[in-house]
């Protein structure tokens, strides 16, 4: 059965241009880019596009993504963007050239696995500078463990150190945070006696420091996905100006209208919890013309995150299978069977590219 809708259109040419713009700007600052493909579920066509545009590594948190891409011939090194479980170590050693690490127990397991096949694996040791996700909280413990890796490991190689900011605690990457990271890296270098290959200053949320020419010297690596693929978060949520060299329209969601009705805007009857265990809040703005779209949270993660291409469409909400939009203010007289288009945010891209119920089309 050939599915038609919902459909996710992906422009590989726009992604290529976004990646090239990002890589070029970073390289001018002495920064290599790890092109992160976890947000698009490691799609081979996207990963291959980033590889062609010059990323230093491809990054993902899913072992399956690296397996799929390498089986299809991608030669760019892969970086595992999370600390692996001990049960995953054989696959990590086989499929990833780099990984983010924060536990000596895990590193010892990687060393043991590498010794079986005499292969090498590079680690980026993570320091927690306030976002409270992965990483050492005590920098002296980090320095001590880096020394242990350099001294005691034959197959695990200390590639460098890194930080995550913005993903959990929403802590903003700043010049001061980056300076602190570089300072810790220099302390490690003084102990091991060589320059670290990688000082990784974070992800997409660190790119504004490159954009506004304030990234401190010493940061030589960033892990960027969202700003290449969607390019929307920094420009819309963060209100970063003069970033229109990045195209926000590389991903487009298309879905069918299955019902058009004029209905009250406020539900009628006694309220209870919805299917997600929440008690929604509604505003009574009278009767409105509403379109029911065959696209739901099961497909896109959260329909409320979608951005209508038609600016007069207002997203009202949805359920697992439906999306409700208000089309009262639209000049177009929408009919059942017509297609409505949306730009996704990160949560939508993540869900749609992983769903078997969404048709992916490359344009």
């Amino acid at each position: 059965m050939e599915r038609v809708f919902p459909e996710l259109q992906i422009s590989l040419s726009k992604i290529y241009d976004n990646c090239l713009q990002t890589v070029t700007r970073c390289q001018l600052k002495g920064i290599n880019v790890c092109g992160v493909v976890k947000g698009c579920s490691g799609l081979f066509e996207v990963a291959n596009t980033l590889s062609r545009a010059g990323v230093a590594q491809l990054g993902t948190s899913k072992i399956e993504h690296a397996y799929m891409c390498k089986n299809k011939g991608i030669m760019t090194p892969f970086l595992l963007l999370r600390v692996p479980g001990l049960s995953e170590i054989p696959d990590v050693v086989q499929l990833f050239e780099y990984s983010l690490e924060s536990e000596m127990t895990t590193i010892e397991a990687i060393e043991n696995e590498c010794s079986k096949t005499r292969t090498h694996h590079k680690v980026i040791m993570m320091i927690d500078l306030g976002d409270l996700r992965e990483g050492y909280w005590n920098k002296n413990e980090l320095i001590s463990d880096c020394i242990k890796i350099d001294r005691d490991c034959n197959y695990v190689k200390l590639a460098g150190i890194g930080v995550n900011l913005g993903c959990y605690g929403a802590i903003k990457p700043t010049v001061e945070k980056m300076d602190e990271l570089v300072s810790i890296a220099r302390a490690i270098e003084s102990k091991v006696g060589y320059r670290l290959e990688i000082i990784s200053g974070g992800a997409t949320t660190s790119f504004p420091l490159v954009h506004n020419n304030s990234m401190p010297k010493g940061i030589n690596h960033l892990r960027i996905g969202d700003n290449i693929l969607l390019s929307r978060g920094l420009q819309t949520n963060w209100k970063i100006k003069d970033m229109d060299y990045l195209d926000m329209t590389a991903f487009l969601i298309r879905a069918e209208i299955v019902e058009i009705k004029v209905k009250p805007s406020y539900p009628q009857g006694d309220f209870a919890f919805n299917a997600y265990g929440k008690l929604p809040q509604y505003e009574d703005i009278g009767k409105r013309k509403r379109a029911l779209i065959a696209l739901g949270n099961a497909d896109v993660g959260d329909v409320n995150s979608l951005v209508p291409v038609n600016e007069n469409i207002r997203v009202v909400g949805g359920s697992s299978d439906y999306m409700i939009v208000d089309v009262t203010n639209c000049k177009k007289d929408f009919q059942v069977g017509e297609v409505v288009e949306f730009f996704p945010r990160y949560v939508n891209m993540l869900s749609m590219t992983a769903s078997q119920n969404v048709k992916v089309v490359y344009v």
Side-chain angles (χ1 to χ4, degrees), residues 79-300:
L79 165 60
L80 181 63
L81 295 172
R82 61 171 174 81
V83 178
L86 295 179
S87 63
E88 300 173 310
I89 297 303
D91 288 330
V92 171
V93 169
Q94 179 184 357
L95 296 169
F96 292 85
E97 287 78 8
Y98 297 81
S99 64
L100 305 183
E101 301 292 345
S102 61
E103 288 286 349
M104 279 305 297
T105 299
T106 307
I107 291 167
E108 289 165 0
I110 295 174
E111 173 74 8
N112 180 62
E113 185 66 29
C114 286
S115 69
K116 298 175 183 178
T117 55
R118 299 187 181 277
T119 57
H120 292 92
H121 182 81
K122 295 182 177 182
V123 296
I124 301 171
M125 302 297 285
M126 299 296 284
I127 182 76
D128 192 333
L129 297 182
D131 203 65
L132 302 183
R133 205 177 74 171
E134 80 275 61
Y136 289 78
W137 188 253
N138 186 313
K139 69 177 182 180
N140 291 325
E141 182 186 1
L142 168 65
I143 294 171
S144 176
D145 281 355
C146 287
I147 295 171
K148 288 179 185 178
I149 295 169
D150 179 65
R151 182 189 64 206
D152 299 336
C153 293
N154 295 316
Y155 300 99
V156 173
K157 302 299 180 182
L158 177 64
I161 66 169
V163 68
N164 176 75
L165 293 165
C167 288
Y168 169 70
I171 298 302
K172 184 178 181 180
T174 60
V175 171
E176 292 74 21
K177 296 287 187 185
M178 297 300 104
D179 281 335
E180 185 177 0
L181 181 65
V182 173
S183 177
I184 295 168
R186 298 297 177 237
I188 293 169
E189 290 171 343
S190 70
K191 298 294 185 181
V192 299
Y194 56 83
R195 285 282 187 179
L196 296 174
E197 174 191 346
I198 290 173
I199 304 176
S200 190
T204 285
T205 53
S206 295
F207 184 74
L209 297 175
V210 175
H211 172 73
N212 63 27
N213 200 32
S214 61
M215 180 66 80
K217 291 183 178 179
I219 301 296
N220 63 9
H221 187 269
L222 291 176
R223 312 178 303 275
I224 301 178
D226 184 43
N227 206 45
I228 292 172
L229 302 177
L230 297 182
S231 308
R232 182 171 295 276
L234 294 181
Q235 296 189 62
T236 59
N237 296 341
W238 287 50
K239 308 299 181 184
I240 303 295
K241 297 180 180 180
D242 303 322
M243 204 178 276
D244 53 3
Y245 52 83
L246 297 176
D247 195 314
M248 295 191 291
T249 65
F251 287 72
L252 181 69
I253 297 170
R254 307 178 73 239
E256 279 185 299
I257 295 174
V258 296
E259 176 186 292
I260 294 277
K261 302 289 184 189
V262 175
K263 296 185 180 183
S265 54
Y266 198 82
Q268 309 295 299
D270 297 331
F271 284 102
F273 291 96
N274 65 15
Y276 295 92
K278 297 182 179 180
L279 191 61
Q281 301 294 316
Y282 302 98
E283 181 183 4
D284 189 351
I285 54 174
K287 290 186 176 182
R288 307 291 290 179
K289 187 177 182 180
R290 294 149 69 97
L292 195 65
I293 298 174
L295 180 75
N297 293 328
D299 305 306
V300 299

Side-chain angles (χ1 to χ4, degrees), residues 288 308-315 326-332 334:
R288 307 291 290 179
V309 173
N310 185 325
E311 295 181 354
N312 291 318
I313 291 177
R314 184 174 68 88
V315 177
D326 186 328
V327 296
T328 307
N329 296 331
C330 295
K331 295 180 180 178
K332 178 178 175 57
F334 285 104

